[in-house]
Amino acid sequence: MHNEYRLRHGAAPLQWSAELAWEAQQWAENLARSGELRHNDDDTVGENLAGMMGGELSGRETTDMWYDEIEDYDFDSAGYSEDTSNFTQVMSDSPFFFREYSFG
């Protein structure tokens, strides 16, 4: 789903990284053990988080939720905003440095 959204905006498709997948899994397991939903302190990669109480989010639902922030994105004054940070991460220029976590 990420790449479909990225294609709409001319962004390069994401490429699979086994290393990032492994790191994401380790961090997701850490979050699950701690019961906290918080960002990793590693600022060398982008990161989106999503959680849901009493249910599960599919990858598509999560990506749709992040992409829906486009409604608040100011294309005339592009840049970082708390309200659209997940959308901008989905559209990030880097095709590699992205990881996401979601758990229910």
Side-chain angles (χ1 to χ4, degrees):
M1 194 68 232
H2 268 80
N3 286 336
E4 290 176 32
Y5 284 139
R6 292 170 64 81
L7 182 64
R8 293 181 189 178
H9 300 276
L14 293 176
Q15 298 176 23
W16 180 257
S17 167
E19 180 181 354
L20 280 178
W22 183 86
E23 290 175 13
Q25 184 63 43
Q26 299 307 304
W27 185 245
E29 290 173 12
N30 179 53
L31 293 175
R33 279 191 303 274
S34 71
E36 294 181 282
L37 186 61
R38 62 184 172 81
H39 286 281
N40 190 312
D41 294 329
D42 180 359
D43 62 357
T44 62
V45 293
E47 174 180 82
N48 279 355
L49 302 174
M52 180 178 180
M53 299 297 288
E56 293 183 17
L57 288 170
S58 70
R60 182 178 185 103
E61 290 169 323
T62 302
T63 304
D64 289 347
M65 179 177 63
W66 293 331
Y67 185 81
D68 286 347
E69 292 178 2
I70 192 173
E71 298 294 325
D72 298 318
Y73 189 75
D74 184 353
F75 285 91
D76 293 327
S77 186
Y80 179 81
S81 163
E82 277 291 321
D83 294 335
T84 60
S85 61
N86 295 305
F87 168 73
T88 55
Q89 186 61 47
V90 170
M91 295 297 122
S92 172
D93 289 340
S94 173
F96 295 105
F97 301 112
F98 179 79
R99 60 183 172 205
E100 63 188 49
Y101 316 103
S102 63
F103 61 93

